[in-house]
Amino acid sequence: MTKKKTRLLFLLTTIIYSNLLFCPVASAQKIVYKPVSGTLSGTPVPLSPDPLINMKWASPKATDELEYYHLRPVSFTTASARSFDTKNFKIKNEVVVNGEGDLMFDFGRVSAGWLEFESDDLTDSVLMSISEYNEPAIVNIGTAHPFKTASVVKDGNTYRIHLNNLWYEGVRFGWIHVVSHKKQWHLKNLRLVCQIKPTNYNGSFACSDPELTKIWYTGAYTVKLNLLKDYFGAILMDRSDRHSWTGDAFPAQAASMVAFGNFDFVKKNIHNTANLSNDIASYALYWVLSLVDYVNYTGDTDLAKYYLDNAGKKLEHAYGHFGKSPRIAFYGWDERLGGGFENPNAEAQNAYSMLSIRAWSEFGKLMRTIGNLKEADKYEGYATEKIQSLRKENAWLSTFGLHAAADAINTNLTTPEENNILFNKNFTDRVNRISYSSFNEWFIISAMAKSQRFDEAISAIKDSWGGQIRYGGTTFFEVFRPQWNEILTTNDAPPNNQAGYTSFTHPWSAGIVKWLSEEILGIKPLEPGFKSFSIVPHLGRSLTSVNGGIPTEKGLISASFDTKSGISRVKVPAGTMAKTIALPIGKNVPSSLKINGKTTAISIEHGENEDFLILNNLEPGEYLFEVKYKKQVKQIALKNTPWIYKVHGIGQDSTTRGNWKGTYGGDGSILFNLYKKGQHVEKLPAYLGKIKLSRYADVHRDVQDPNIALLQDSARTNDFGAIATKNYNVCEQSMTIDLPVTDNGTHRVSLYFLDQDNVGRRSAIEIFDMNTLNLIGPMIYVKNYSKGKYVSFDVQGPIRLRINQVRGINVSLSGIFFDKIK
C-alpha cells in the first residue's frame, strides 16, 4: 500500500469514527482557567522534563483552581514539504499552508492540555490529532472520542481539537491534517494550552548517576500532571477510566509528599478515597498504607484516630479473607499475577496475604506510636499469628513467586535468612525480576532494599524506569517491558496488551520518587511528622554522591554526601531530631572525622558493599561533616547480569506465504476458522495436549473452494480464517494461546500472521513458561504482513503465547505449525 493510500485510509477511518462516536460542538471554550500565577525563581533543573520546574507559587493550597500556560512545539516533521512553508516557524510560530498533507509537531514532553492554533484565512478542510507517542492515538470504546483525531472546533480565529468535556488529554505530539486544499492560508501560534495545579517542588534529589536523578524528576512530573482540581487523577489520555483509583494513589501520594510536600492535597485525596476500593481487595489495604504513610510524614495523628473504624473494617475484612482464596479482582498486569483482571491466580492470592500481614503490622505500629495499645496489640498480633502459621506450613519459601516474595519481605517480619532464600529464588534473573508495571516494581525494589541488595535494585530501576526514559518517555507508563527498546524506536506506538491501550502517563508508576529519597538519599521518619528520623544513604558500588531534601511540616530536612571528598552536610529542622545519621564512606578507611570543625570519635558500621560512620541523636541545626581517609579504595561497580532467554532460533519468513505445505507443519498444525467460523482445522502432534485459546474473536471469510488450503493463492487475500483480538473493547487488545507440550524435547513452533485487510497491522509476541508464567523469550515484533508472514522459534516444554496489538485494527493470526528442529 502506498503512503498516500495509507494516509487516505487513516483519514477516512478517522472521519467515520469521529462522526459515529463524537460530534464536536462549535462553541467557545467552556473551561476557563487563569494564567499561571507563580513566578520563575531559582536554578532550572536540566534533568527534569517539567517546563515549570523552577516556578514557585506563594502559598499553594489544595483548594486552588487549576491554571494554564502555553507550550510551543520544539520541532516538526512532514512528508509533504511542498505543502508547508515553515521558514518562519521558529521565529514567529507561523506556517504557510500551500497544499494537502500532514504536519507533525513535537512539544518535547507530555503535557496535560489541548491543541490549538490561530488563523484568519483558513478555508481548507482540516483535521487535528494528538498523541503521547509518534502516531495519532487510538484508544478503546467507552470514552467520548476513542480516535484522538477530529475536525477542528472554531472559536473566532482560534481552532481547537475538542475530544472530551474536560478538554485536556495527554499530549506530546500534535498533527495538522490538511484533507483538501483551496487556497494558501496561514497557521499561526500553534500551541498546547496546558493545565496545571499550583504545586511547588519543595523536595529534591540528585546523585552522581544522572539517570537516577532524571528518574526522580520524571516520576515527580508524572504525578504533578495528574493533580486535578479536587483529586489525584489516574491517567492523562482519556480512555474511559479517568477516575480516582485508590490503589494507584498509594505511590502517587507518597511521591507527591516527597517531591512537593502538598500534604493538604494528599489528605484531601485520602478523604476522597476513604470509602472507595474500586472493587479490588488489595486497593482497600493500599488505602490503609496510604493513611499510615501520610501520618508518618505529617504527624497528623488526629486523622488516624478519625479513620480508626474505617481502617479497622478494611483490616478485619482482610483477616477474614486470610487463607480462603477470596475474590481479589486484580493484583497487577503481570502475567504471573493473572494478567490483570483476566485471572488473578495463586501468586496473586499469596501476594495479597502478605500485603494483609504488612498492613496489619504497619497500622499496629502506628497505633502503638500514638498510644492506642489495644489496637496495636490486636493488629500486630494478627501479623505475628499469620506469619508464624506461614512458617509452620514450611512451603512458602519454595512456592512464592516474585510478587508474593516481595510482599513477604515488605512485611518487615521476615528474617535475613528467609530474605536470602526468597531473593536467590526470585530476584536474580534480570528478565523476570522486572514486573510488567512500575507500580508492582516499586514493591519489588522495596523488598530488595530491605534485603540490603541496593546494587541489584539500582540495576532493576535502570532497566524499568530508565528503560522508559530511553524509550523516549518524559513521564512514566502504565506498563513497560525493557524489551520494547529492542524492537521499537524512540517514541514509537507501544504494544497494547492486557492493560488495554497503553497509557504513557500513569502516576501509579511514581513510587520510585519516594524510594530514591528514602533509600538512596536515605531520609526516613521514625516517628510521625519526622519528630525523629534517620538518614542512612545507600550508594552501593555504583554511586559516589547524593544530595537532596524532603519537606516536612517542621521544615526541610536536607542532606548531601560525597564519598570521594569525604564532605557531607545535613540540616535538622527545629522540632525534630536526627536519631541516626550514617555517613557513607564506601570501602575507604577513615582516619578522622570533624563535625562543624571539631574532631570527634569514629564509630564504623560495616556493610557488605559499603561502610558508614554512625552518629546518633543530633539536635536541630546545620552540620558539616569532614572525613579524612588514610586509604581510599576504588569501588568496583556491580556488573549487570545478561538477559537470558530459553527461546532460541527466532526467525521470520515473508516468502512462503500461503504455500506452507512441505515447509511448515511437519509434526502438525492448527488452521483457525479455515472453512467455517468457529471451527478450526487441527492436526496436532502427539506431544501436544489440548490447545487453550483465550480472549479472542473468530474471523472467517467465505471460501468458494473448500479444498483450498490456507492461502494457497497468496493473491486471494479474502480466502482465510483467523483468530483476532477484540479491539476496541476495553482491555481486549491481546489474546493468549496455551500450548501444553507434554514431552521434554525441543520443538519448532511457527505462527502465521496475515493482515487480511491490508490495514497496517503490527503485532508483538510474548512467550512465557506455562507453569511459572516467567518470560522466556525476547519480545518479537511482527509487521508488514499483508501478504502473510511466519514467525518461528525453538522452545522446550509447555508455553503460553500472548499476542498483542500494536497498530492496525487488531491482531490477526491464521495458523500455528509444529515441526522438528532441523
Side-chain angles (χ1 to χ4, degrees):
M1 184 182 291
T2 65
K3 289 184 178 179
K4 185 174 183 180
K5 286 183 179 178
T6 301
R7 176 176 180 269
L8 289 174
L9 178 63
F10 165 75
L11 293 175
L12 177 62
T13 305
T14 298
I15 291 169
I16 291 172
Y17 272 86
S18 296
N19 291 334
L20 285 174
L21 299 168
F22 177 74
C23 297
V25 179
S27 60
Q29 178 184 332
K30 294 295 190 294
I31 296 179
V32 179
Y33 304 136
K34 66 178 181 180
V36 287
S37 58
T39 56
L40 295 175
S41 61
T43 305
V45 181
L47 292 173
S48 170
D50 189 347
L52 303 185
I53 180 67
N54 60 329
M55 177 166 280
K56 296 289 184 182
W57 282 264
S59 56
K61 303 178 294 298
T63 53
D64 288 342
E65 299 287 335
L66 295 174
E67 300 180 351
Y68 82 88
Y69 61 95
H70 287 165
L71 195 64
R72 286 184 55 171
V74 297
S75 65
F76 65 90
T77 56
T78 181
S80 312
R82 293 182 179 180
S83 296
F84 304 103
D85 180 352
T86 57
K87 64 177 179 290
N88 288 324
F89 169 71
K90 289 187 177 181
I91 301 172
K92 298 171 60 178
N93 195 7
E94 177 182 279
V95 176
V96 180
V97 180
N98 296 311
E100 295 179 8
D102 307 306
L103 195 57
M104 181 179 83
F105 297 90
D106 182 359
F107 289 86
R109 78 268 298 149
V110 173
S111 300
W114 55 90
L115 183 64
E116 64 181 36
F117 67 89
E118 297 170 9
S119 179
D120 49 19
D121 57 356
L122 170 60
T123 59
D124 287 352
S125 176
V126 174
L127 298 174
M128 297 171 72
S129 299
I130 59 165
S131 188
E132 295 176 307
Y133 47 84
N134 61 17
E135 297 181 50
I138 300 171
V139 299
N140 50 263
I141 58 175
T143 185
H145 207 303
F147 277 58
K148 304 305 178 183
T149 300
S151 300
V152 295
V153 177
K154 188 175 186 297
D155 177 15
N157 287 335
T158 299
Y159 297 82
R160 302 186 177 95
I161 181 170
H162 178 189
L163 299 176
N164 61 71
N165 290 334
L166 293 177
W167 285 85
Y168 81 95
E169 297 264 5
V171 186
R172 160 113 186 229
F173 297 95
W175 287 261
I176 304 294
H177 308 285
V178 181
V179 180
S180 64
H181 180 67
K182 296 179 181 179
K183 65 177 184 178
Q184 184 184 84
W185 60 279
H186 297 76
L187 187 159
K188 302 177 182 178
N189 297 324
L190 182 81
R191 59 189 177 252
L192 282 181
V193 182
C194 305
Q195 66 177 36
I196 200 71
K197 180 82 172 178
T199 309
N200 293 335
Y201 284 82
N202 291 315
S204 62
F205 177 88
C207 70
S208 54
D209 186 336
E211 184 177 26
L212 295 180
T213 303
K214 192 169 187 176
I215 287 170
W216 191 94
Y217 281 100
T218 301
Y221 181 58
T222 304
V223 173
K224 185 180 175 185
L225 288 182
N226 283 276
L227 298 178
L228 304 182
K229 179 181 180 298
D230 295 312
Y231 67 96
F232 279 65
I235 58 171
L236 291 190
M237 185 61 72
D238 183 14
R239 58 177 197 188
S240 78
D241 55 349
R242 270 184 168 180
H243 51 265
S244 184
W245 288 87
T246 306
D248 300 16
F250 178 31
Q253 291 169 176
S256 196
M257 290 190 293
V258 168
F260 311 126
N262 55 345
F263 303 118
D264 62 337
F265 200 23
V266 171
K267 182 176 183 177
K268 186 173 186 178
N269 206 59
I270 288 173
H271 285 310
N272 289 340
T273 56
N275 297 305
L276 180 67
S277 69
N278 307 113
D279 197 30
I280 298 172
S282 59
Y283 277 27
L285 297 181
Y286 289 138
W287 181 87
V288 175
L289 293 176
S290 290
L291 175 65
V292 172
D293 206 23
Y294 167 80
V295 175
N296 282 335
Y297 263 70
T298 64
D300 184 0
T301 56
D302 287 342
L303 192 69
K305 297 172 184 175
Y306 178 81
Y307 277 122
L308 178 60
D309 289 343
N310 184 303
K313 288 177 182 178
K314 293 177 169 70
L315 296 171
E316 292 293 340
H317 194 62
Y319 186 75
H321 276 168
F322 200 91
K324 298 178 181 179
S325 299
R327 178 184 175 275
I328 58 176
F330 174 91
Y331 206 84
W333 292 118
D334 195 278
E335 203 75 26
R336 292 163 291 188
L337 293 170
F341 292 97
E342 290 182 2
N343 181 33
N345 53 22
E347 172 69 1
Q349 293 287 350
N350 289 333
Y352 173 65
S353 294
M354 296 303 99
L355 176 64
S356 301
I357 292 174
R358 176 186 175 185
W360 298 325
S361 179
E362 291 195 16
F363 190 76
K365 182 179 179 182
L366 177 62
M367 291 296 99
R368 191 167 300 283
T369 300
I370 66 177
N372 190 332
L373 301 185
K374 178 182 176 182
E375 298 297 312
D377 288 343
K378 178 168 70 170
Y379 292 116
E380 289 179 341
Y382 283 179
T384 301
E385 170 198 341
K386 295 305 182 184
I387 197 76
Q388 288 177 351
S389 69
L390 197 68
R391 289 189 174 109
K392 287 179 182 178
E393 293 174 7
N394 202 31
W396 62 293
L397 293 176
S398 59
T399 59
F400 277 15
L402 176 71
H403 297 86
D407 282 334
I409 295 170
N410 287 332
T411 65
N412 271 325
L413 298 175
T414 50
T415 66
E417 293 75 18
E418 289 167 341
N419 291 348
N420 283 335
I421 293 170
L422 293 170
F423 182 89
N424 291 330
K425 177 181 179 292
N426 296 290
F427 295 78
T428 58
D429 178 354
R430 186 180 178 190
V431 174
N432 285 295
R433 70 185 177 199
I434 304 298
S435 190
Y436 201 14
S437 76
S438 300
F439 171 77
N440 293 99
E441 191 65 20
W442 178 39
F443 304 116
I444 292 165
I445 61 169
S446 296
M448 287 179 164
K450 289 178 174 63
S451 302
Q452 300 298 303
R453 304 284 189 150
F454 292 97
D455 289 312
E456 292 88 344
I458 290 172
S459 175
I461 289 165
K462 293 163 83 69
D463 284 341
S464 181
W465 287 273
Q468 293 171 61
I469 291 175
R470 289 190 292 279
Y471 192 79
T474 59
T475 50
F476 289 134
F477 310 163
E478 181 173 16
V479 292
F480 174 75
R481 289 205 192 283
Q483 290 78 13
W484 292 5
N485 284 322
E486 299 171 7
I487 62 172
L488 302 167
T489 58
T490 304
N491 295 317
D492 272 355
N496 301 307
N497 43 69
Q498 59 264 43
Y501 288 89
T502 302
S503 165
F504 267 16
T505 311
H506 204 304
W508 82 339
S509 62
I512 187 60
V513 175
K514 185 186 184 193
W515 193 95
L516 288 169
S517 290
E518 286 196 347
E519 303 297 350
I520 302 300
L521 182 59
I523 303 174
K524 290 183 182 180
L526 299 177
E527 295 180 80
F530 287 88
K531 183 178 180 181
S532 68
F533 62 91
S534 63
I535 307 180
V536 184
H538 291 283
L539 305 185
R541 299 176 185 175
S542 61
L543 304 177
T544 59
S545 66
V546 64
N547 68 81
I550 288 183
T552 76
E553 295 282 24
K554 295 181 173 62
L556 183 72
I557 299 173
S558 63
S560 67
F561 304 97
D562 190 319
T563 59
K564 285 187 175 180
S565 68
I567 302 296
S568 300
R569 290 180 170 84
V570 170
K571 181 179 179 181
V572 181
T576 70
M577 173 181 284
K579 202 81 170 177
T580 301
I581 294 180
L583 304 179
I585 58 174
K587 283 297 180 179
N588 298 325
V589 181
S591 60
S592 66
L593 167 65
K594 289 183 179 180
I595 303 178
N596 291 340
K598 296 182 179 179
T599 301
T600 188
I602 294 175
S603 172
I604 301 179
E605 182 177 293
H606 296 283
E608 183 176 347
N609 297 321
E610 53 187 339
D611 298 335
F612 300 93
L613 300 185
I614 302 300
L615 305 166
N616 296 314
N617 301 325
L618 273 71
E619 300 288 343
E622 296 188 20
Y623 296 88
L624 169 65
F625 306 101
E626 299 171 275
V627 181
K628 296 293 183 182
Y629 300 121
K630 57 184 175 183
K631 181 181 180 182
Q632 287 191 283
V633 180
K634 184 178 180 180
Q635 290 277 74
I636 300 175
L638 184 70
K639 291 184 178 180
N640 258 333
T641 57
W643 304 102
I644 298 175
Y645 301 109
K646 296 179 181 179
V647 172
H648 301 288
I650 298 171
Q652 299 192 20
D653 168 14
S654 300
T655 60
T656 303
R657 300 181 183 176
N659 301 309
W660 54 271
K661 289 187 175 180
T663 304
Y664 296 98
D667 284 356
S669 62
I670 176 170
L671 309 178
F672 298 115
N673 301 293
L674 180 58
Y675 303 132
K676 186 177 180 181
K677 186 175 179 179
Q679 291 185 7
H680 311 314
V681 177
E682 294 186 9
K683 182 184 176 183
L684 301 181
Y687 54 75
L688 187 64
K690 185 174 177 58
I691 292 176
K692 180 182 178 182
L693 308 174
S694 300
R695 308 180 74 81
Y696 69 98
D698 289 311
V699 178
H700 174 74
R701 299 282 176 88
D702 289 336
V703 178
Q704 299 296 322
D705 182 355
N707 296 315
I708 294 177
L710 178 64
L711 281 183
Q712 289 287 351
D713 178 359
S714 60
R716 298 186 60 174
T717 57
N718 288 333
D719 297 343
F720 72 97
I723 55 173
T725 51
K726 295 185 280 188
N727 300 50
Y728 298 90
N729 295 341
V730 176
C731 294
E732 297 279 9
Q733 282 62 61
S734 72
M735 57 186 177
T736 60
I737 304 170
D738 287 350
L739 301 177
V741 174
T742 57
D743 67 8
N744 295 321
T746 300
H747 308 285
R748 191 154 184 80
V749 178
S750 301
L751 311 178
Y752 185 62
F753 292 87
L754 178 65
D755 182 6
Q756 59 271 19
D757 307 302
N758 198 14
V759 291
R761 284 178 170 89
R762 285 148 35 202
S763 308
I765 306 166
E766 298 171 298
I767 309 171
F768 303 92
D769 181 301
M770 207 174 89
N771 294 323
T772 66
L773 296 178
N774 280 338
L775 192 66
I776 59 173
M779 184 172 279
I780 305 171
Y781 191 35
V782 194
K783 58 182 180 178
N784 300 325
Y785 59 88
S786 62
K787 294 183 179 180
K789 180 174 285 190
Y790 297 86
V791 175
S792 302
F793 49 87
D794 300 336
V795 69
Q796 187 178 29
I799 62 170
R800 167 173 293 175
L801 304 174
R802 182 175 288 277
I803 308 178
N804 306 293
Q805 182 256 16
V806 179
R807 295 292 283 188
I809 60 174
N810 55 25
V811 173
S812 181
L813 177 68
S814 292
I816 306 177
F817 302 89
F818 305 93
D819 292 279
K820 294 179 173 59
I821 303 299
K822 295 179 180 179

